[in-house]
Amino acid sequence: MNPLRIIETFNLITGKVFSFFVFLGMAIVVYEVIARYVFNAPSVWAPGYTQRVFAGYFILIGAYTLIKGGHVRVDILLDTRSPRWNAFTNILNYLALVIWTLALSYEAWFYFIDAWEFNELDDSALRHPMWPVNLTLFIGTSLILVQGISGLIASGIEFIKPKQQIKG
């Protein structure tokens, strides 16, 4: 099987699985609103868990969003000319993405290692360990990095051997 297709399939499945985190986050928020305003009994744990669930959701669906074209793009120069030009602009975009996510993944790894080794805890009353959050950041940025490299390779192939433009 094509390695680029394997990467894309893995990231699509990962994105679909973690997209359900939004419902978990919504349930926590609804619980907290009801507990706070109906029963006048706010929880200590809900704000921290809401942040963790939504942070995990946003970072772990990043590669999926990249595949689906959901990230912000400025299309003034993109997708406006020949297939070769479009491939060239995609190469530039993917290069920038790969450089950015490479740096972010590198730093996220060291955040994770430090949090693990020093048993770093958050500032909440429950004092949760920070390593799961930092590991999630590393995994999410690494998935985006791998998808970016895959897109860079695919755009390079498209630049070398462009598909015929369909006129409609």
Side-chain angles (χ1 to χ4, degrees), residues 82-167:
S82 70
R84 182 166 273 141
W85 172 260
N86 295 339
F88 174 72
T89 58
N90 280 331
I91 288 170
L92 295 178
N93 282 320
Y94 281 120
L95 274 173
L97 176 70
V98 166
I99 292 167
W100 179 77
T101 53
L102 186 61
L104 192 57
S105 296
Y106 178 82
E107 288 298 320
W109 175 253
F110 289 107
Y111 285 156
F112 163 67
I113 292 299
D114 284 349
W116 179 268
E117 288 178 351
F118 297 111
N119 195 27
E120 182 182 357
L121 304 174
D122 67 13
D123 293 334
S124 74
L126 298 177
R127 308 290 291 157
H128 291 106
M130 288 300 295
W131 70 263
V133 174
N134 295 340
L135 180 60
T136 303
L137 178 62
F138 172 72
I139 292 169
T141 55
S142 296
L143 291 174
I144 296 169
L145 172 62
V146 171
Q147 189 59 50
I149 293 169
S150 176
L152 181 61
I153 293 168
S155 296
I157 293 168
E158 178 69 18
F159 181 76
I160 293 167
K161 188 176 180 184
K163 295 176 187 146
Q164 294 298 319
Q165 193 170 13
I166 299 171
K167 308 237 181 199

Side-chain angles (χ1 to χ4, degrees), residues 73 75-82 85-87 89-90 165:
R73 288 175 36 140
D75 291 337
I76 295 171
L77 298 175
L78 307 174
D79 299 331
T80 59
R81 298 191 178 133
S82 70
W85 172 260
N86 295 339
T89 58
N90 280 331
Q165 193 170 13

